[in-house]
Amino acid sequence: MLIESRPTTDPEIATLVVAQQRELREADGGLDGQVTVTHDDIRYLAVVDAGRAVACGGIQELGPRTGELKRMYVRPAFRGRGIARQLLAALEDLAFQQGYAELRLETGSYLPAAIGLYTSCGYAPIPVYGEYVDNPYSRCFAKRLPVAA
């Protein structure tokens, strides 16, 4: 498998993001307060297997030294292979290269597997922030990135 940068306009990224949003709506049962805010400034990485993007995730700037993890998704047929963990490590490296000292993320209380992945990779709970403040199902996490030598 290969992890590569993809533009926000990439059709395979768009397909993965639509699948991610559909799966989130199924998981949350149509909970009130769920809002999908799209952003054009996300830098995406895609995991490619046999020429096809099977997973994606992106980094968006929150501030000069803080990035936000966005749109992490692995196609169901490819789960359980460690792809999400590899993609997360690559996204952290991308955030570090972009000069971020901290990476934040938001996920839903109804996604225990996602919460388990993030906490096992060193993300700690933080207060809900930004566009997620009024969503009672949001759970936010952050991780300090290594400092360049």
Side-chain angles (χ1 to χ4, degrees), residues 8-28 36-39 42 44 52-57 70-76 79:
T8 58
T9 57
D10 182 271
E12 286 190 298
I13 292 294
T15 297
L16 289 169
V17 168
V18 167
Q20 181 233 21
Q21 292 299 301
R22 185 178 308 117
E23 193 170 314
L24 286 177
R25 295 298 72 85
E26 290 170 6
D28 73 19
T36 300
V37 179
T38 58
H39 302 276
I42 298 173
Y44 281 101
R52 178 179 178 223
V54 299
C56 70
K70 304 293 281 187
R71 307 291 183 252
M72 276 281 294
Y73 183 73
V74 178
R75 289 184 184 278
R79 294 180 187 163

Side-chain angles (χ1 to χ4, degrees), residues 110-128:
Y110 47 85
L111 297 171
I115 292 170
L117 170 69
Y118 298 131
T119 57
S120 73
C121 289
Y123 287 79
I126 60 169
V128 179

Side-chain angles (χ1 to χ4, degrees), residues 40-68:
D40 294 331
D41 60 341
I42 298 173
R43 292 202 48 202
Y44 281 101
L45 295 180
V47 177
V48 180
D49 181 52
R52 178 179 178 223
V54 299
C56 70
I59 302 292
Q60 177 180 304
E61 184 172 299
L62 279 180
R65 303 277 294 144
T66 305
E68 183 177 25

